[in-house]
Amino acid sequence: MTLPPDLVLFDCDGVLVDSERITNALLVENLAARGLQVAPDRVIDLFVGGTIAGVAKTARSFGATLEENWVDLIYAEMFERLAQEATPVPGVPSLLDALDAAGIPYGVCSNGPHAKMDVTLARCGLTQRFAGRIYSREDVPNPKPAPDVYLKAAADAGIAPANCVVVEDSPNGARAGKAAGMHTLGFIADTAAEHLTPICDAVFDDMRALPGLLGLTSK
C-alpha cells in the first residue's frame, strides 16, 4: 500500500493499553479456583484476541466448573483490577502525537465490550484521543477474526480499506485486519513472533518503531 495511510486502526488490549498481562494473570487465578489449571503461556495461546464468552466456552470444554453468570463475574473482577493497574503501552502517547501532527485519523477496534474500554482508555488518559472512533465487537454482527469491526470503522470514516493500517497483537485480530483488506502490522512485544509473522505484512516489538512503519519518519 501507499504510505502513510489514510487511517490507522488499533486493537485495544496489548496494543494501546498494557492490560493483557493483568487479565491473563486474573484468568489463571480465576480458572484455577474453578478446577482448571492453565499455564500463563497457554492462556495466551488459548484466549488472547478472543471474547470472554469464548473463554468460558473453551474453559468449560477443558473441564472448568464455571457459574452460569461467570462472564459477568469475571468482567466485574477484571474491570476492578484494570481500573487500578492498567497503563498505556510504552510509546503510545508519542505515537498518537505523531499521527496528530501528520493529520492522520485513528481509531480503536476491540473484541472487548465498550464497558471494558471505558475503564482502560480512561485509566490510561486515552478516551478523548479516540472519541468518536471507539469500536467494539458489540457494534457489529461478528467478532474478530471476522473483519466486521474494522470494516465498520473504515466505512464510518469514509476511507477505503486498502488505505487503512491495522495494528494487532493477536492472530485473531490480525486475521480480521487481513480479511478486511487492510495492511496489517503485528505488535510482538508480548506475543510470540511465529504467531503473527505468517499473517501480518510486518511485525515489530516497540511502538517507537511504528511511525517508521507508517511512513511518518525515516526508518
Side-chain angles (χ1 to χ4, degrees), residues 24-143:
N24 290 348
L26 174 60
L27 286 172
V28 169
E29 296 168 13
N30 186 284
L31 294 176
R34 288 158 177 78
L36 180 62
Q37 301 290 333
V38 185
D41 58 343
R42 186 65 173 146
V43 167
I44 293 172
D45 292 340
L46 286 173
F47 303 137
V48 169
T51 64
I52 291 296
V55 171
K57 182 177 180 180
T58 300
R60 288 189 176 107
S61 76
F62 281 104
T65 303
L66 306 184
E67 298 91 335
E68 185 175 342
N69 64 334
W70 180 83
V71 169
D72 293 333
L73 295 174
I74 192 67
Y75 266 133
E77 287 187 56
M78 190 181 300
F79 292 175
E80 182 177 0
R81 192 168 297 188
L82 289 171
Q84 297 171 352
E85 301 178 21
T87 56
V89 167
V92 163
S94 58
L95 167 63
L96 300 182
D97 289 343
L99 289 169
D100 287 338
I104 297 172
Y106 45 84
V108 54
C109 298
S110 176
N111 253 3
H114 280 287
K116 184 180 180 184
M117 286 187 283
D118 289 346
V119 172
T120 57
L121 293 176
R123 160 78 182 176
C124 295
L126 298 175
T127 303
Q128 290 307 311
R129 302 202 74 158
F130 286 89
R133 292 203 176 103
I134 299 174
Y135 295 92
S136 161
R137 48 96 173 153
E138 294 172 325
D139 302 320
V140 292
N142 303 295

